[in-house]
Amino acid sequence: MTMQQRTEPSPAAVLIAVAVLALVLTVAFGPLGFVIGLALFALMFIGTKNGTSEQNAATRTRSRIRRLSTAGRVAIVGESYYQDAIAEVARHSTAQTLDEAVPATAVLVPEPSNRHDRQAVRVDLLRGDGSAITAGYLRSDQAADYQPLLLELAERGEVGSCPARIVGGGQRYYGVHLHLGDPRLLLLDHEALGTAPTLPAEQQVTVTGEEAHQHVLHRVVNGRTPVHVIAELRDCRIDNGSHTGEHTLEVLLEGERIGQLTYAMGLRYCEIAQEWRAHTGRALCEAVITNEGTRGLHANLLLPK
């Protein structure tokens, strides 16, 4: 998936147009026309130089969207300057709480040339046609942690994306909250399952039975831990123990089983997974694989509370 943003006339095109105008004025009015044309040229040149870093649309490009971890909640700043843009994405809806929030998709754009803050990270929201419009910025202290990773993505022609929630409207300013993971585990190491949305990553849930599937886990981590991946949940039945025959969820990586949820966790998440699957096509979630030494590789799922 790519993000397309609106383009504006380049500074060079503007200067050429003004230069042509200056030449026409010189031919028509002689020395006076030349002076007027030169003054216009100078004013446009200065305005173009000063405005370049301020125009969000000046360097719009097409980038491949890279999904980021959603295992965290981040509120952005500066939304008061972009109320019309946020209202457009929210379709002027009103949401008083996060439970009522309007869902959106955010992209994070590092701005190392921002004259106000060299570590700035701009937050854009995607419209329905795939174009992006600015909604605000990360707080400066957070941006300092996120920007290096986002610059790495930019060098590869990628832009980081995460779910967003829009609240406000009516008599209230719109605000934007991001479902964005900690920088330490921001980049997902396995994205073979595409761009389908993942379940809200709010708490860790243990996977059982991994000892029988260590070969799958080792292939996925490829010698690196911790590894942040996307897993799939499917309905299954418990095949041993006191709850044999009862429903639970099996956990798959790259289409292969790595374990299952306990009976208690199955009771809690089976219906949630079914609803998510009906809505999105697949019940996907984030997971973190760690090395537990003599216990082998271990996976913790990140699921809703």
Side-chain angles (χ1 to χ4, degrees):
M1 182 178 180
T2 57
M3 174 190 70
Q4 183 176 6
Q5 297 182 314
R6 296 175 297 179
T7 57
E8 301 290 339
S10 67
V14 174
L15 295 179
I16 290 172
V18 176
V20 171
L21 176 60
L23 179 60
V24 171
L25 290 173
T26 300
V27 173
F29 300 105
L32 178 59
F34 175 78
V35 171
I36 295 173
L38 185 63
L40 284 173
F41 185 88
L43 288 173
M44 290 298 295
F45 180 80
I46 294 171
T48 301
K49 293 291 287 183
N50 289 340
T52 298
S53 63
E54 299 298 315
Q55 292 293 329
N56 288 328
T59 57
R60 303 305 193 186
T61 59
R62 291 182 66 86
S63 301
R64 189 179 79 87
I65 290 181
R66 170 73 175 269
R67 178 166 48 182
L68 303 175
S69 168
T70 65
R73 301 295 178 267
V74 175
I76 72 173
V77 297
E79 300 107 313
S80 60
Y81 297 103
Y82 305 101
Q83 289 295 296
D84 290 343
I86 301 172
E88 177 187 339
V89 175
R91 298 180 180 179
H92 300 276
S93 300
T94 300
Q96 301 303 320
T97 67
L98 280 175
D99 291 336
E100 303 171 347
V102 179
T105 299
V107 290
L108 305 180
V109 184
E111 288 189 344
S113 61
N114 187 305
R115 65 175 181 171
H116 301 294
D117 182 0
R118 300 296 183 187
Q119 296 178 316
V121 173
R122 193 178 77 236
V123 178
D124 292 352
L125 297 178
L126 294 186
R127 298 187 179 96
D129 62 2
S131 63
I133 190 167
T134 299
Y137 283 79
L138 295 186
R139 284 200 334 257
S140 58
D141 59 323
Q142 293 176 322
D145 294 328
Y146 284 100
Q147 195 197 72
L149 294 170
L150 298 172
L151 287 173
E152 289 180 16
L153 294 182
E155 290 176 358
R156 301 199 294 265
E158 297 178 325
V159 59
S161 171
C162 66
R165 296 290 180 269
I166 302 172
V167 296
Q171 300 300 314
R172 294 176 54 197
Y173 272 125
Y174 281 109
V176 178
H177 298 259
L178 306 181
H179 291 249
L180 184 64
D182 185 272
R184 184 176 61 90
L185 289 173
L186 185 65
L187 301 183
L188 297 169
D189 296 280
H190 170 59
E191 295 192 282
L193 293 171
T195 58
T198 53
L199 286 155
E202 297 173 339
Q203 68 176 5
Q204 292 193 6
V205 174
T206 300
V207 177
T208 64
E210 300 144 303
E211 61 276 2
H213 306 282
Q214 289 291 301
H215 64 289
V216 178
L217 291 167
H218 276 285
R219 188 180 69 243
V220 172
V221 303
N222 195 25
R224 297 182 302 116
T225 54
V227 170
H228 199 176
V229 298
I230 297 175
E232 184 169 8
L233 303 178
R234 292 183 185 172
D235 295 332
C236 73
R237 290 185 182 274
I238 299 172
D239 58 10
N240 60 70
S242 58
H243 296 290
T244 297
E246 298 287 355
H247 286 282
T248 190
L249 293 167
E250 64 176 347
V251 183
L252 297 94
L253 290 179
E254 298 183 349
E256 294 191 63
R257 180 185 174 102
I258 63 164
Q260 65 186 29
L261 299 189
T262 64
Y263 171 69
M265 288 295 101
L267 283 178
R268 180 170 185 174
Y269 287 108
C270 274
E271 185 174 346
I272 294 173
Q274 289 173 355
E275 291 177 355
W276 195 263
R277 192 181 300 115
H279 179 65
T280 67
R282 308 177 82 168
L284 305 180
C285 66
E286 295 180 34
V288 177
I289 303 174
T290 56
N291 190 333
E292 301 296 319
T294 57
R295 295 175 54 201
L297 297 177
H298 179 72
N300 277 323
L301 306 184
L302 300 176
L303 295 175
K305 289 183 178 179

Short mmCIF file of all heavy atoms in Angstrom, two decimals, residues 52-54 59 110-120 147 151:
data_model
loop_
_atom_site.label_atom_id
_atom_site.label_comp_id
_atom_site.label_asym_id
_atom_site.label_seq_id
_atom_site.Cartn_x
_atom_site.Cartn_y
_atom_site.Cartn_z
N THR A 52 9.31 27.23 2.32
CA THR A 52 9.50 25.84 1.93
C THR A 52 9.36 24.89 3.11
O THR A 52 8.68 23.86 3.05
CB THR A 52 10.87 25.65 1.27
OG1 THR A 52 10.92 26.44 0.09
CG2 THR A 52 11.10 24.20 0.92
N SER A 53 10.01 25.21 4.23
CA SER A 53 9.98 24.31 5.38
C SER A 53 8.64 24.32 6.08
O SER A 53 8.35 23.44 6.88
CB SER A 53 11.07 24.70 6.38
OG SER A 53 10.82 26.00 6.88
N GLU A 54 7.80 25.34 5.77
CA GLU A 54 6.51 25.43 6.43
C GLU A 54 5.40 24.73 5.65
O GLU A 54 4.34 24.45 6.19
CB GLU A 54 6.12 26.91 6.62
CG GLU A 54 7.08 27.70 7.48
CD GLU A 54 7.14 27.14 8.87
OE1 GLU A 54 6.08 26.86 9.43
OE2 GLU A 54 8.25 26.96 9.39
N THR A 59 6.80 18.74 -0.23
CA THR A 59 7.65 17.61 -0.58
C THR A 59 6.86 16.31 -0.56
O THR A 59 7.35 15.28 -0.13
CB THR A 59 8.84 17.51 0.39
OG1 THR A 59 8.34 17.38 1.73
CG2 THR A 59 9.73 18.71 0.31
N PRO A 110 8.97 12.01 9.67
CA PRO A 110 10.06 12.73 10.35
C PRO A 110 10.40 14.01 9.60
O PRO A 110 10.38 14.05 8.36
CB PRO A 110 11.22 11.73 10.30
CG PRO A 110 10.94 10.88 9.11
CD PRO A 110 9.43 10.78 9.02
N GLU A 111 10.70 15.08 10.34
CA GLU A 111 11.04 16.37 9.73
C GLU A 111 12.37 16.88 10.28
O GLU A 111 12.41 17.83 11.07
CB GLU A 111 9.93 17.39 10.01
CG GLU A 111 8.65 17.16 9.25
CD GLU A 111 7.67 18.32 9.39
OE1 GLU A 111 7.85 19.16 10.32
OE2 GLU A 111 6.72 18.40 8.60
N PRO A 112 13.48 16.28 9.89
CA PRO A 112 14.78 16.74 10.40
C PRO A 112 15.16 18.14 9.95
O PRO A 112 16.05 18.76 10.53
CB PRO A 112 15.76 15.70 9.84
CG PRO A 112 15.08 15.15 8.63
CD PRO A 112 13.61 15.14 8.97
N SER A 113 14.49 18.66 8.92
CA SER A 113 14.78 20.02 8.45
C SER A 113 13.82 21.05 9.02
O SER A 113 13.87 22.23 8.63
CB SER A 113 14.73 20.05 6.91
OG SER A 113 13.43 19.69 6.44
N ASN A 114 12.95 20.63 9.94
CA ASN A 114 12.02 21.57 10.56
C ASN A 114 12.81 22.63 11.34
O ASN A 114 13.59 22.30 12.24
CB ASN A 114 11.08 20.81 11.51
CG ASN A 114 9.98 21.68 12.08
OD1 ASN A 114 10.23 22.72 12.69
ND2 ASN A 114 8.74 21.24 11.90
N ARG A 115 12.62 23.89 11.01
CA ARG A 115 13.45 24.95 11.61
C ARG A 115 13.13 25.19 13.08
O ARG A 115 13.93 25.79 13.80
CB ARG A 115 13.30 26.24 10.83
CG ARG A 115 11.92 26.86 10.85
CD ARG A 115 11.92 28.20 10.14
NE ARG A 115 10.61 28.82 10.17
CZ ARG A 115 10.38 30.07 9.78
NH1 ARG A 115 11.39 30.81 9.33
NH2 ARG A 115 9.17 30.58 9.82
N HIS A 116 11.96 24.74 13.53
CA HIS A 116 11.59 24.92 14.93
C HIS A 116 12.08 23.78 15.82
O HIS A 116 12.34 23.99 17.00
CB HIS A 116 10.07 25.05 15.06
CG HIS A 116 9.50 26.20 14.28
ND1 HIS A 116 9.78 27.52 14.58
CD2 HIS A 116 8.68 26.22 13.20
CE1 HIS A 116 9.14 28.31 13.74
NE2 HIS A 116 8.47 27.54 12.89
N ASP A 117 12.18 22.58 15.24
CA ASP A 117 12.59 21.40 16.02
C ASP A 117 13.16 20.37 15.07
O ASP A 117 12.42 19.74 14.30
CB ASP A 117 11.39 20.83 16.79
CG ASP A 117 11.78 19.64 17.66
OD1 ASP A 117 12.97 19.27 17.67
OD2 ASP A 117 10.88 19.09 18.32
N ARG A 118 14.48 20.18 15.09
CA ARG A 118 15.14 19.26 14.16
C ARG A 118 14.74 17.81 14.39
O ARG A 118 14.97 16.95 13.54
CB ARG A 118 16.67 19.39 14.29
CG ARG A 118 17.21 20.77 13.97
CD ARG A 118 16.95 21.15 12.54
NE ARG A 118 17.53 22.44 12.20
CZ ARG A 118 17.34 23.07 11.05
NH1 ARG A 118 16.58 22.52 10.12
NH2 ARG A 118 17.89 24.25 10.82
N GLN A 119 14.14 17.52 15.54
CA GLN A 119 13.72 16.15 15.85
C GLN A 119 12.21 15.96 15.69
O GLN A 119 11.65 14.98 16.16
CB GLN A 119 14.15 15.78 17.27
CG GLN A 119 15.67 15.76 17.45
CD GLN A 119 16.07 15.46 18.88
OE1 GLN A 119 15.50 15.98 19.83
NE2 GLN A 119 17.05 14.58 19.04
N ALA A 120 11.57 16.88 15.00
CA ALA A 120 10.12 16.86 14.88
C ALA A 120 9.62 15.64 14.10
O ALA A 120 10.29 15.14 13.19
CB ALA A 120 9.63 18.14 14.19
N GLN A 147 12.00 9.56 15.98
CA GLN A 147 12.48 10.03 14.69
C GLN A 147 13.58 9.17 14.06
O GLN A 147 13.55 8.90 12.85
CB GLN A 147 12.95 11.49 14.78
CG GLN A 147 13.11 12.13 13.41
CD GLN A 147 13.93 13.40 13.42
OE1 GLN A 147 15.14 13.36 13.58
NE2 GLN A 147 13.26 14.54 13.25
N LEU A 151 13.30 7.78 10.30
CA LEU A 151 14.25 8.17 9.25
C LEU A 151 14.82 6.94 8.55
O LEU A 151 15.06 6.97 7.33
CB LEU A 151 15.38 9.02 9.84
CG LEU A 151 14.99 10.45 10.24
CD1 LEU A 151 16.14 11.12 10.97
CD2 LEU A 151 14.60 11.26 9.01
#
